[in-house]
Amino acid sequence: MAKAKKITAALTAALLCTASLTACSDTSYVMTVGDSKINAGIYIYNELTEMSYQMTMMYYQNGIKKDYFDQKVDGKAFDEYLSDYALTATKEYAAVVDKFNELGLTLSDEDIKSINDSISSTWDSQGEFYESEGISKESVKLALKGSKMREELFDHYYAEGGEEAVSDDEMVKYLDDNYLRYKSISFAKTKASTDSSSSATDSSTDSADAANEEAKAKRDEFLEKAQGVSFDDFDSIIDEYNDYVASKNAKDSSSAADSDSSAAESSTASDDTSSVSDIDTSSTASDDTSSVSDSTADSSSTVDSNSSTDSSSSEPDPYANEKMVNYGAMDDSQKDTTNGKILKEVSGMSTDVATAYEDDNAYYILIKGDIKDRDTEYAKDKHEDLLKEMKSDEFQEKLTSWVEKLDIKVNNKAIKRYTPKVVYDKQTEYYSKNNNS
């Protein structure tokens, strides 16, 4: 009898031990918030989404197409950055849901329908992939709802009627204190071609110097025409410049065609590389959203533009040739870029005075406008974007404080299981398998 009791006790202890190990090794959740568990799928979703974004940026900014985990982001190794990002984003998700419920806020039926429609579309095209990563449909739905709740909380505080709503006067003052308004024309510089040893040849250097002298002379010619011209009337100089560019393009195209014809007749293969090399002819009329990222865009465009008018409108856009840029929000690294240096030049200029500027890429004509001539209208047209610029940092401080107040316990076993490298390898395996099938 005593022996039987010992055996029963041993089996019971073994079962309890097994149950305890199972509980401790449960990686279906990534953290607990009080008595609630946060799905690991939400953490993996955050990790995967940021990974895709950063890999895309690596490609477009630096041409990187592999060896991602040898790179650094914000001074951290790629895998460390992603782990930290996903953990922070998941904690913030928990804080957003908690604060949203505390304030008694609700998502509208329209919001829920939009989220459900997005989930259905996503799952039709990528559901199998997400499931291969360990991300359920429910986890994606919760993540999307969390994003919408975050938007609603921001509006709860700062939108019209909010607890800390931003007035029209505050927004106009923000524009006056931080924004630059300007127009520009640029004449691209020609760089000397190199030989097989990557050294510029004497002939190519002479050719580049001659082309640059011509470009500079043409810039100075247009600068002379712009003397005494107001910011508003500078559009006429831009129109004349665009006519000049169109004429030059036509002439260069004709010359290239004649050269090709002559080469064919003489059976000599000559590669014409001089087409519009001395002038950048790109001209756009895109909608400037006035974010800091816009202010660091490629500065070689012929005419910086800012259109706040619907492209379907029959009325011409009076602001098509100008830029409104939040220079005040740029940090030192952004101000040290090519475009940042142009903006620094503009910031020190007087209004309505066409000014010459030059960098390694081009010769410019810059003219600065008075921000106050447009601040009220711009604040109205770009209200939502400006609100985010003005209050995003402040809202982030609120969010961080909400996180700190929560009783969050991280499930480290889940963190160690769903590493960025594991997520990346599963992605690679999935697409490799499906692209070959």
Side-chain angles (χ1 to χ4, degrees), residues 277-349:
S277 61
D278 59 331
I279 293 180
D280 182 349
T281 61
S282 59
S283 178
T284 60
S286 58
D287 185 17
D288 172 28
T289 58
S290 307
S291 67
V292 174
S293 60
D294 288 330
S295 69
T296 57
D298 182 2
S299 64
S300 63
S301 60
T302 301
V303 179
D304 285 316
S305 59
N306 171 46
S307 171
S308 59
T309 303
D310 192 316
S311 60
S312 63
S313 172
S314 59
E315 292 295 323
D317 177 14
Y319 308 117
N321 291 323
E322 68 179 70
K323 269 286 190 181
M324 295 276 285
V325 180
N326 190 348
Y327 181 66
M330 293 173 67
D331 59 29
D332 289 342
S333 64
Q334 291 170 322
K335 289 180 180 179
D336 197 41
T337 62
T338 296
N339 199 55
K341 292 174 181 178
I342 292 174
L343 295 174
K344 182 178 180 180
E345 179 73 13
V346 172
S347 70
M349 290 166 45

Side-chain angles (χ1 to χ4, degrees), residues 342-404:
I342 292 174
L343 295 174
K344 182 178 180 180
E345 179 73 13
V346 172
S347 70
M349 290 166 45
S350 300
T351 58
D352 295 296
V353 178
T355 304
Y357 177 74
E358 174 187 347
D359 59 23
D360 291 340
N361 301 310
Y363 302 99
Y364 302 85
I365 301 174
L366 306 172
I367 188 166
K368 181 181 179 181
D370 189 342
I371 191 69
K372 293 183 178 181
D373 289 342
R374 195 184 168 193
D375 53 8
T376 302
E377 179 185 5
Y378 193 85
K380 180 180 178 181
D381 290 344
K382 301 290 185 180
H383 181 87
E384 191 170 327
D385 293 326
L386 287 169
L387 193 61
K388 290 177 181 176
E389 284 184 23
M390 294 175 68
K391 293 299 181 179
S392 286
D393 289 346
E394 186 177 309
F395 180 72
Q396 182 60 50
E397 290 175 5
K398 290 182 184 292
L399 183 49
T400 300
S401 70
W402 300 339
V403 170
E404 292 171 350

